[in-house]
Amino acid sequence: GLKTNWNKSDNEGIANRKDISSLIKSGFEIGSHTKNHSNLAFEKRINIIQQEIIESKNELEKLFKVPVSIIALPYGGYPNKGAKCLIENYNHICTSVSGRWFPESRYVKRIKVTSKDSILFLNLKIIIYTIKDVLKYLSKKPDKRFLD
């Protein structure tokens, strides 16, 4: 993956340490995004996947002195080989999987939002995806459903 310098930048649009600290003090929770913004779906080496997942979390927790329990995977790339590592280190995992409901609640589906979407349109998207996913979930046989 590419080396990033998010924590050294004062560029417009990129949060720096001061910005992130301010958000934390305001009550926001921060999440990880891997160490080097690698697309883990294409990474074959388990040691690299684990390094990307764990080192990002550890660095953020050390820098900001807060627990990090959320990860948004770059490019939405879900690493099949790294699933266990993700589950062991994070409570919530954001992927690019859309239109699928994960009742086990660790996986957060992504709904595409653009700058052209109004609040009303965004709410409609959420409602439609939710209804569609719940109906799909309920149509499965009870022994095939995942329950909390």
Side-chain angles (χ1 to χ4, degrees):
L2 298 173
K3 298 289 181 196
T4 59
N5 62 351
W6 66 267
N7 58 342
K8 298 175 182 70
S9 177
D10 286 324
N11 295 335
E12 184 179 333
I14 298 176
N16 59 33
R17 287 183 194 190
K18 184 179 175 184
D19 296 332
I20 295 169
S21 292
S22 177
L23 287 170
I24 292 167
K25 287 177 187 169
S26 298
F28 284 84
E29 185 174 350
I30 62 168
S32 174
H33 197 50
T34 72
K35 185 170 174 78
N36 295 303
H37 202 262
S38 299
N39 188 339
L40 300 181
F42 298 112
E43 181 58 61
K44 304 288 186 231
R45 299 164 294 178
I46 189 68
N47 63 316
I48 300 296
I49 292 169
Q50 291 170 334
Q51 178 183 348
E52 289 289 324
I53 292 167
I54 295 168
E55 287 185 17
S56 172
K57 174 184 174 73
N58 291 345
E59 185 175 334
L60 289 169
E61 289 178 340
K62 183 179 176 184
L63 278 171
F64 299 106
K65 311 281 190 268
V66 295
V68 174
S69 63
I70 300 169
I71 186 168
L73 297 169
Y75 313 102
Y78 187 80
N80 289 325
K81 287 186 177 182
K84 183 178 178 186
C85 184
L86 283 167
I87 291 167
E88 289 172 348
N89 287 280
Y90 295 96
N91 294 332
H92 303 285
I93 303 158
C94 301
T95 73
S96 63
V97 175
S98 62
R100 183 169 175 200
W101 182 45
F102 294 100
E104 62 268 24
S105 78
R106 281 191 195 262
Y107 301 96
V108 180
K109 77 175 177 184
R110 189 173 284 183
I111 297 174
K112 185 176 181 179
V113 179
T114 71
S115 60
K116 296 177 182 178
D117 290 345
S118 67
I119 296 296
L120 175 63
F121 192 65
L122 175 60
N123 285 323
L124 287 172
K125 279 184 177 181
I126 293 168
I127 291 167
I128 290 167
Y129 273 114
T130 302
I131 291 170
K132 181 179 167 186
D133 294 340
V134 168
L135 290 174
K136 184 176 179 181
Y137 173 75
L138 292 174
S139 70
K140 293 181 180 181
K141 293 180 182 176
D143 61 331
K144 300 293 182 190
R145 296 180 191 164
F146 298 101
L147 299 176
D148 288 334

